[in-house]
Amino acid sequence: MTFPMSARLYTKSDLLLSTEVSAVYAFNTAGAILGSLIAGFLLIPHIGSQTTLVMASCISIGTGIVLARLRPQFLFAGAAMITYVIFLPKWDPELMASAMGLAIEAGRKAYLAGRMPKRLYASASSPLAGVVR
């Protein structure tokens, strides 16, 4: 969602469209790499995943407010982000873990019922990868 808005804000003319969008794409990629490193190695281990998510949402809200001041058509996106943070439910790690356990149990039952083929290894990309015949 941020890339199209950033590209639209940054591009000034149709003549330099590819150059300007390329620059936005490069900054977007660098920001994604830097953000994932900071989140994975600093924020989540020290303050937890939910607090990291709320903090990232607050940064997005701040960005949305700035964008709404620059261009009023982005006001709806900012309002949606604020609503998300206000109504964000508290995470229940035990409930989340139990849901994963239920998913594993359901997969095992589907396999035992003959609904899933036997495989040498797991593969999410293709239903036919590694099928033992």
Side-chain angles (χ1 to χ4, degrees):
M1 178 90 175
T2 58
F3 180 72
M5 286 193 276
S6 300
R8 187 167 181 192
L9 282 172
Y10 189 72
T11 54
K12 302 292 183 218
S13 70
D14 289 341
L15 294 173
L16 299 173
L17 183 66
S18 62
T19 305
E20 292 170 340
V21 171
S22 298
V24 173
Y25 193 74
F27 281 111
N28 187 49
T29 302
I33 293 168
L34 186 63
S36 60
L37 289 173
I38 290 171
F41 291 110
L42 294 175
L43 296 177
I44 293 173
H46 289 89
I47 63 175
S49 55
Q50 185 169 10
T51 307
T52 300
L53 178 65
V54 170
M55 190 173 77
S57 298
C58 289
I59 291 170
S60 292
I61 289 170
T63 305
I65 290 169
V66 170
L67 287 175
R69 287 184 168 241
L70 292 173
R71 300 231 177 136
Q73 65 262 33
F74 294 133
L75 185 61
F76 177 74
M81 286 185 234
I82 291 170
T83 304
Y84 172 74
V85 171
I86 290 172
F87 294 109
L88 180 70
K90 183 78 174 152
W91 289 3
D92 184 353
E94 290 180 24
L95 183 61
M96 292 165 59
S98 70
M100 188 63 193
L102 292 173
I104 292 169
E105 184 180 341
R108 179 73 179 151
K109 286 181 179 180
Y111 170 75
L112 292 174
R115 302 284 298 164
M116 297 171 59
K118 186 174 183 180
R119 299 176 186 195
L120 294 174
Y121 54 87
S123 174
S125 62
S126 171
L128 299 178
V131 174
V132 176
R133 295 177 190 220

